[in-house]
Amino acid sequence: MRMGHTVNFKEELAARTARAEEVLARFLPPQEGPAKELADAMSYSLLAGGKRLRPVLMAETFAVFGGEGAVIEPFMAGMEMIHTHSLIHDDLPALDNDDLRRGRPTTHRVYGEAAAILAGDALLNYAYETMCRAFGMGHDTDAVARTLSLIAEKTGIRGMLGGQSVDVALEGKPIPADTLSYIYEKKTAALIEASMTAGAVLAGADEADTAVLLEAARKIGVAFQIRDDILDVEGDQAALGKPVHSDEKNNKTTYVTLYGLAEADRCVQKLSGEALALLSGLKADTSFLQELTRAMTTRRF
Ligand code: GRG
């Protein structure tokens, strides 16, 4: 198992999460000057202690496909900034109107709604500013450009934001199964896809391996979202760091409302199994990615 000096997955994950935390803190804008309050709100949201799954996934696929050096770091930071922007905006009164995120009051509860909108916008923009730094790091610029481009695509109208827009438009209405799948593949899986393929593309993985990773990531991402639906019903607010029963409050159609808890759980297991089969079919050592897939799809937080 390619996990450094230890084969203990929990310890290894903790070490990789700590590295992601360290990278994030290093790439944030300084909290000084006239826009200090904006930098404070960005830092408050970003350093609030999420699971850091996306940068960890990205760093791992970079390493699995032979990537070396620090060029992955601006992408790790950028991806977590994009993810955090989506959480800040999703919690706003106009969307889910939630008060708790990552175990702390949401950004708009602390800084006010206008400042939270700006902090989300600023994180999204700063993500690209940060990732563009990779051009000056002596890495293959074509690989850097392709990595940036795939992240932009998976974040925007053809990815996360496209899915979120359909989710919002259909709130409180019955959603057909194929539309719900579209929403999950875009709103949630797209950033997991971006994270897993970005590391590989930056490292120079070939198209066939990247396509397998993309397919595995889509399955992991959809399973992760269905697990989120399940935890919203039977999870624990203290462990999750965010309110439960938020979907019910917002009258949302989810896998749980559409198929019931038991069938939703079967879907998670099926998707997880298919993703594991895809990962284990790759020639590279995907043992850590497989452990992480299991952890993401059986999580309680
Ligand atoms: C841009 C407003 C806007 C929304 C985009 C991603 C998203 C759509 C909204 C965020 C809220 C949400 C339910 C996202 C689905 C994906 C998901 C389960 C996110 C939570 O990710 P975790 O569990 O969070 O990795 P941490 O806090 O650990 O980083």
Side-chain angles (χ1 to χ4, degrees), residues 119-202:
D121 289 346
L123 274 173
L124 181 58
N125 195 75
Y126 205 68
Y128 289 94
E129 197 177 330
T130 301
M131 293 187 289
C132 282
R133 291 204 207 176
F135 281 113
M137 294 177 76
H139 195 74
D140 173 12
T141 53
D142 187 51
V144 170
R146 279 187 289 124
T147 306
L148 250 177
S149 168
L150 84 84
I151 291 172
E153 181 192 319
K154 296 287 177 193
T155 303
I157 189 165
R158 288 193 282 158
M160 178 181 73
L161 283 161
Q164 177 71 359
S165 70
V166 177
D167 195 21
V168 167
L170 294 180
E171 199 169 297
K173 302 191 177 94
I175 302 183
D178 58 343
T179 307
L180 196 63
S181 298
Y182 166 87
I183 291 170
Y184 285 21
E185 282 172 22
K186 299 298 172 185
K187 159 178 115 162
T188 306
L191 281 199
I192 307 286
E193 291 173 15
S195 303
M196 289 179 65
T197 53
V201 167
L202 195 63

Side-chain angles (χ1 to χ4, degrees), residues 51 54 83 86 89-90 102 161 164 188 224-225 228:
K51 293 184 285 297
R54 294 154 193 82
H83 167 57
S86 79
H89 281 186
D90 196 58
R102 294 173 162 172
L161 283 161
Q164 177 71 359
T188 306
F224 186 76
Q225 179 59 55
D228 205 64

Side-chain angles (χ1 to χ4, degrees), residues 251-288:
N251 205 7
K252 277 203 167 150
T253 303
T254 69
Y255 261 61
V256 174
T257 63
L258 210 54
Y259 302 111
L261 271 172
E263 183 56 26
D265 189 50
R266 271 193 290 277
C267 288
V268 172
Q269 288 175 36
K270 180 170 181 287
L271 288 162
S272 169
E274 289 168 359
L276 289 170
L278 285 165
L279 291 175
S280 61
L282 287 166
K283 279 194 203 74
D285 177 359
T286 59
S287 48
F288 181 79

Side-chain angles (χ1 to χ4, degrees), residues 53-63 65 72 75 79 143-144 146-155 189-218 220 279 282 289:
L53 294 170
R54 294 154 193 82
V56 167
L57 282 167
M58 193 185 260
E60 179 59 10
T61 56
F62 183 64
F65 288 95
I72 192 65
F75 289 103
M79 179 53 67
V144 170
R146 279 187 289 124
T147 306
L148 250 177
S149 168
L150 84 84
I151 291 172
E153 181 192 319
K154 296 287 177 193
T155 303
L191 281 199
I192 307 286
E193 291 173 15
S195 303
M196 289 179 65
T197 53
V201 167
L202 195 63
D206 67 27
E207 278 185 23
D209 284 349
T210 307
V212 171
L213 268 186
L214 185 70
E215 181 69 0
R218 186 177 62 76
I220 295 166
L279 291 175
L282 287 166
L289 283 175

